[in-house]
Amino acid sequence: MPEHTFTVTRSGYTMQAKLRRENQDVLIELTGGDVPHYGVVTAVSLHQPLQTIALPSRPGHHHQEGVLTERVATVIAPVLQSNAFIVGGLHVNRISKQQLAVAGAMAQALGEQIRDYLATHPRTRIEEEFS
């Protein structure tokens, strides 16, 4: 399936979201900064509250990008046709207070771009058959 990429750049760094779809399910990779990586996953479903898992980033610490993946999840939830997984990791070397302060707004803007795309590009459900 084709991948769609959305980007936002502010305060000297870029955050991006790559969106892929299988049937009506959505996979989003939310990465950026100087060291893109995968450290958290947020699951969004029509039938249960969102859930986030944060993996260890270094001894005694866990990845903090859940605040960003959850922001995107909250924005896109009203237009989801099925499930979504948002996998994220963003690291800006020696991040400044200003750069940290705009991260939430950047995730919000990406969520809005994705929401608008999903709302205008719905998928017809491929029905599953069971034995």
Side-chain angles (χ1 to χ4, degrees):
M1 285 290 147
E3 183 177 280
H4 298 277
T5 301
F6 308 89
T7 61
V8 172
T9 301
R10 295 187 187 162
S11 296
Y13 72 101
T14 299
M15 186 182 299
Q16 71 175 9
K18 294 179 187 173
L19 179 141
R20 292 181 52 100
R21 295 170 90 176
E22 296 294 343
N23 200 3
Q24 292 181 325
D25 295 324
V26 175
L27 173 63
I28 298 167
E29 296 177 29
L30 182 67
T31 59
D34 299 310
V35 187
H37 59 276
Y38 303 120
V40 300
V41 62
T42 297
V44 189
S45 171
L46 301 174
H47 309 291
Q48 65 188 41
L50 68 87
Q51 300 174 52
T52 298
I53 297 171
L55 300 174
S57 58
R58 60 188 191 276
H61 298 273
H62 283 77
H63 287 276
Q64 301 296 310
E65 293 89 352
V67 297
L68 304 175
T69 57
E70 289 178 4
R71 176 79 66 102
V72 171
T74 301
V75 174
I76 68 169
V79 299
L80 288 177
Q81 293 178 279
S82 188
N83 302 314
F85 289 97
I86 306 167
V87 180
L90 170 103
H91 180 86
V92 176
N93 290 329
R94 296 179 184 13
I95 194 166
S96 69
K97 289 182 181 181
Q98 174 61 29
Q99 290 173 316
L100 190 57
V102 299
M106 292 170 75
Q108 177 78 26
L110 284 173
E112 291 168 359
Q113 290 177 41
I114 295 165
R115 177 200 63 207
D116 295 347
Y117 175 82
L118 292 173
T120 58
H121 296 86
R123 284 285 177 93
T124 301
R125 182 172 185 77
I126 301 169
E127 292 299 325
E128 302 166 337
E129 296 180 16
F130 301 94
S131 301

